[in-house]
């Protein structure tokens, strides 16, 4: 079965979480690479595997075969065997790490008694790790190197396509800029935009031409097939960029992805425009700092994530109704699709003042009011908060008795979460009750109101008509190299 062959890998939010923790402790992430990973695990007796030797092998008699004792690249269960081997090694008494219950690729432990713990995340045969104490890192490297062939590469530079730029200041403060500049340029080249004229003041949105309003074009299946293939390829590349470091294109990529099955030439033009924006701003990325995030605090007008008991801060928002809200006229009459009227919900979670998780999605069913749309966004944010609270609880880095602050700019949604809603909100689906349970029964979350003009989650909910508003919000969340 798939479960017998699969092996978990680290997720990008967990990598960003570990980066934020390392920077908070004023240290850098270290990187390691296990050599020839898949051939190091032993094959169990019940998986007897016979292979034909390479043609011309001087050590094998003609007409003979090999019985494998070790796993081999290409075997269906090779990833599973490797994961079980590395997990066994990391959890051995000599190393003493413990796997997190809520993320199978995240480990924590105190290999040196009386010293600070070490944190590690693994992605197949590559891994990142850090400890506040350098002696613990040296002990870990020695213990792991004695059990398996590992190349320790010092400070992390590239991991899962993301580039780490570390800045260590003379006063001991540490900054890290996380970006995907090389991949952004690859996307631009694949779209044929190598020599395209771009401006650093561009935005990914074409003002007055929302994606949902792009007219459909009647085409045969044969003529549309190349458009579908190209649209899926471009959306896949842009999506990987958006979930990695470029949260500023998350909303537009989500809108474009909803048209992958039936794109028109206008949708490809919209995707190309996003590619031009990516090319113009390729160096932008997430900035982590052991100092306060002064830009974010100036934007929202209060300190964010400075408490050790509550390192998480979240913002949720929704844009009620269609993106095209202009007044209709007789000269421009078109059919409005059901998908177009659904609201876009978004949220973002900060760890110690730096973004570690964000989301933008259209609701599955049209909301009857802006309050209902905001409730759905807040509820989705509550679920994401719970995931990170569970992980941080496994790491021993959060006081679960202290609620995480969640901010929303709709007073009705805030009141609903506090069970002070009116009878007019009785129609809200029961599945949106997660956030109320988190507030009242379990004390995981505290809901607060924030003005809409200072809600950073606004960037995930609409195609901005004002370039200046988009840039001011984006610059709070992303930075060029060096901050």
């Amino acid at each position: 079965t798939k479960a017998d062959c699969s092996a978990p890998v680290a997720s990008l939010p967990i990598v960003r979480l570990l980066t934020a923790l390392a920077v908070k402790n004023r240290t850098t992430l270290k990187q390691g690479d296990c050599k020839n990973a898949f051939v190091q695990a032993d094959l169990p007796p019940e998986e007897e595997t016979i292979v034909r030797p390479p043609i011309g092998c001087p050590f094998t008699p003609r007409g003979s075969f090999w019985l494998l004792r070790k796993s081999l690249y290409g075997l269906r269960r090779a990833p599973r065997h490797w994961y079980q081997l590395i997990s066994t090694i990391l959890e051995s008494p000599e190393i003493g790490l413990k796997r997190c219950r809520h993320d199978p690729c995240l480990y924590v432990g105190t290999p040196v008694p009386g010293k600070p713990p070490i944190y590690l995340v693994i992605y197949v045969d590559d891994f990142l790790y850090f400890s506040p104490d350098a002696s613990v890192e040296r002990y870990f490297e020695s213990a792991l190197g004695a059990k398996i062939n590992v190349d320790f590469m010092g400070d992390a530079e590239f991991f899962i396509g993301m580039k780490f730029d570390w800045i260590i200041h003379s006063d001991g403060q540490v900054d890290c800029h996380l970006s995907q500049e090389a991949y952004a340029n690859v996307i631009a080249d694949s779209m044929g935009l190598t020599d395209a004229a771009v401006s650093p003041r561009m935005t990914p949105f074409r003002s007055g031409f929302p994606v949902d309003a792009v007219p459909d074009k009647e085409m045969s299946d044969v003529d549309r097939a190349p458009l579908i293939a190209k649209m899926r390829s471009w959306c896949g590349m842009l999506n990987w960029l958006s979930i990695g470091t470029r949260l500023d294109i998350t909303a537009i990529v989500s809108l474009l992805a909803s048209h992958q099955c039936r794109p028109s030439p206008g949708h490809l033009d919209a995707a190309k425009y996003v590619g031009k924006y990516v090319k113009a701003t390729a160096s932008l990325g997430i900035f982590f700092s052991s100092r306060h995030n002064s830009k974010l605090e100036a934007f929202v007008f209060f300190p964010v994530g400075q408490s050790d008991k509550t390192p998480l801060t979240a913002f949720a928002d929704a844009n009620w109704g269609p993106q095209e809200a202009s007044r209709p006229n007789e000269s421009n009459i078109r059919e409005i699709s059901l998908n177009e009227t659904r609201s876009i919900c978004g949220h973002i979670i900060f760890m110690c003042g730096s973004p570690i998780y964000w989301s933008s999605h259209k609701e599955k069913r049209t909301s009857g009011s802006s309050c209902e749309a905001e409730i759905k966004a807040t509820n989705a944010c509550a679920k994401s908060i719970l995931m990170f609270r569970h992980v941080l609880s496994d790491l021993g880095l959060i006081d679960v008795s202290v609620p995480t602050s969640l901010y929303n700019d709709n007073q009705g949604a805030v009141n609903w979460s506090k069970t002070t809603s009116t009878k007019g909100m009785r129609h809200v689906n029961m599945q949106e009750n997660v956030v109320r349970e988190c507030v009242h029964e379990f004390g995981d979350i505290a809901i607060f109101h924030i003005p809409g003009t200072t809600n950073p989650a606004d960037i995930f909910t609409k195609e901005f008509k004002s370039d200046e508003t988009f840039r001011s919000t984006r610059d709070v969340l992303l930075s060029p190299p060096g901050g």
Side-chain angles (χ1 to χ4, degrees):
T1 65
K2 281 189 175 182
D4 296 327
C5 301
S6 64
V9 294
S11 64
L12 292 173
I14 296 300
V15 173
R16 293 191 292 263
L17 172 68
L18 206 67
T19 305
L21 290 175
V23 170
K24 179 187 176 185
N25 284 275
R26 301 187 183 184
T27 186
T28 61
L29 283 177
K30 310 300 187 299
Q31 186 172 358
D33 177 28
C34 300
K35 299 298 182 182
N36 301 319
F38 282 12
V39 301
Q40 298 201 39
D42 293 325
L43 276 178
E46 65 272 15
E47 294 184 32
E48 189 174 86
T49 305
I50 299 174
V51 298
R52 189 189 303 273
I55 297 175
C57 178
F59 307 105
T60 306
R62 190 178 185 85
S64 60
F65 295 84
W66 289 350
L67 174 65
L68 286 184
R69 293 188 298 174
K70 295 276 189 178
S71 183
L72 193 67
Y73 284 89
L75 296 182
R76 290 183 63 195
R77 283 178 53 83
R80 185 74 172 180
H81 292 320
W82 162 247
Y83 173 74
Q84 291 173 340
L85 173 65
I86 191 63
S87 296
T88 302
I89 292 174
L90 292 174
E91 294 173 335
S92 64
E94 293 82 4
I95 299 179
L97 300 189
K98 182 180 179 181
R99 196 181 337 181
C100 290
R101 290 185 303 159
H102 296 92
D103 193 300
C105 293
L106 184 60
Y107 295 80
V108 62
T110 52
V112 182
K115 295 282 188 177
I118 188 170
Y119 307 93
L120 179 142
V121 63
I122 188 165
Y123 187 95
V124 191
D125 57 350
D126 295 314
F127 58 92
L128 299 173
Y129 63 97
F130 88 92
S131 173
D133 192 323
S135 64
V136 176
E137 294 177 345
R138 290 192 295 269
Y139 174 86
F140 166 77
E141 293 167 359
S142 175
L144 184 60
K147 288 182 171 289
I148 202 167
N149 187 14
V150 185
D151 181 17
F152 294 102
M153 299 180 286
D155 293 345
E157 294 183 358
F158 287 93
F159 190 77
I160 325 180
M162 296 188 295
K163 182 184 179 185
F164 294 78
D165 289 310
W166 300 95
I167 304 172
I168 302 176
H169 300 274
S170 57
D171 59 355
Q173 302 287 349
V174 175
D175 297 335
C176 179
H177 185 257
L178 199 59
S179 65
Q180 294 170 284
E181 182 175 0
Y183 190 65
N185 290 323
V186 168
I187 293 175
D189 293 342
S190 67
M191 290 183 172
L193 302 173
T194 305
D195 299 321
V198 296
S199 167
R201 295 186 62 80
M202 289 180 65
T203 76
F205 311 110
R206 300 181 300 172
S207 181
F209 297 94
V211 171
D212 286 340
V214 173
D216 185 28
K217 183 178 181 180
E218 289 298 329
M219 305 172 67
S220 67
D221 292 343
V222 175
D223 292 337
R224 198 182 296 276
L227 272 64
I228 294 175
K230 189 173 290 187
M231 190 69 176
R232 287 177 174 173
S233 175
W234 290 357
C235 284
M237 291 188 293
L238 290 171
N239 185 57
W240 177 251
L241 190 67
S242 72
I243 65 176
T245 58
R246 294 300 301 272
L247 50 84
D248 52 331
I249 63 172
T250 303
I252 189 67
V253 171
S254 177
L255 289 168
L256 288 170
S258 65
H259 298 278
Q260 289 182 98
C261 296
R262 190 180 170 83
S264 67
H267 293 117
L268 266 69
D269 291 340
K272 258 194 169 181
Y273 194 83
V274 179
K276 289 182 178 180
Y277 169 74
V278 167
K279 175 181 172 66
T281 58
S283 63
L284 289 181
I286 303 172
F287 191 72
F288 299 86
S289 179
S290 55
R291 299 183 177 92
H292 291 220
N293 188 337
S294 56
K295 289 197 298 184
L296 177 62
E297 293 176 358
F299 186 78
V300 300
F301 299 111
F302 57 82
V304 176
Q306 301 302 329
S307 172
D308 290 334
K309 293 184 178 181
T310 56
L312 299 175
T313 307
F315 299 86
D317 195 15
N319 183 54
W320 185 46
Q323 298 296 301
E324 175 56 83
S326 60
R327 180 177 297 178
N329 57 76
E330 294 183 359
S331 63
N332 183 21
I333 300 176
R334 63 181 182 87
E335 183 180 350
I336 304 297
S337 66
L338 290 175
N339 184 61
E340 188 175 342
T341 63
R342 291 169 183 159
S343 305
I344 300 178
C345 303
H347 62 267
I348 183 169
I349 300 176
F350 291 85
M351 171 78 178
C352 303
S354 300
I356 60 171
Y357 185 80
W358 52 87
S359 173
S360 176
H361 66 279
K362 272 196 175 181
E363 59 185 357
K364 296 181 180 179
R365 191 168 185 170
T366 303
S367 295
S369 65
S370 60
C371 180
E372 184 179 350
E374 297 281 0
I375 288 171
K376 291 178 180 179
T378 306
N379 197 70
C381 185
K383 296 175 183 178
S384 300
I385 289 173
L386 291 179
M387 178 191 74
F388 282 102
R389 282 177 65 92
H390 292 327
V391 171
L392 290 172
S393 177
D394 292 342
L395 300 177
L397 296 174
I398 192 171
D399 185 347
V400 294
S401 65
V402 180
T404 297
S405 298
L406 193 166
Y407 295 88
N408 185 277
D409 56 17
N410 185 283
Q411 190 64 59
V414 173
N415 292 341
W416 184 89
S417 303
K418 296 178 179 179
T419 323
T420 58
S421 66
T422 64
K423 290 184 178 180
M425 295 305 298
R426 287 181 297 181
H427 65 285
V428 176
N429 198 312
M430 291 299 294
Q431 69 178 3
E432 315 303 338
N433 267 323
V434 170
V435 64
R436 297 174 102 178
E437 293 175 348
C438 292
V439 171
H440 296 282
E441 290 193 26
F442 306 109
D444 293 317
I445 296 172
I447 309 291
F448 301 99
H449 181 263
I450 187 175
T453 55
T454 61
N455 188 351
D458 189 48
I459 199 172
F460 304 107
T461 64
K462 62 173 68 73
E463 295 182 68
F464 280 81
K465 297 177 177 62
S466 168
D467 292 353
E468 191 61 39
T469 303
F470 170 79
R471 283 193 294 267
S472 64
T473 308
R474 178 200 66 188
D475 293 344
V476 171
L477 305 173
L478 297 177
S479 300

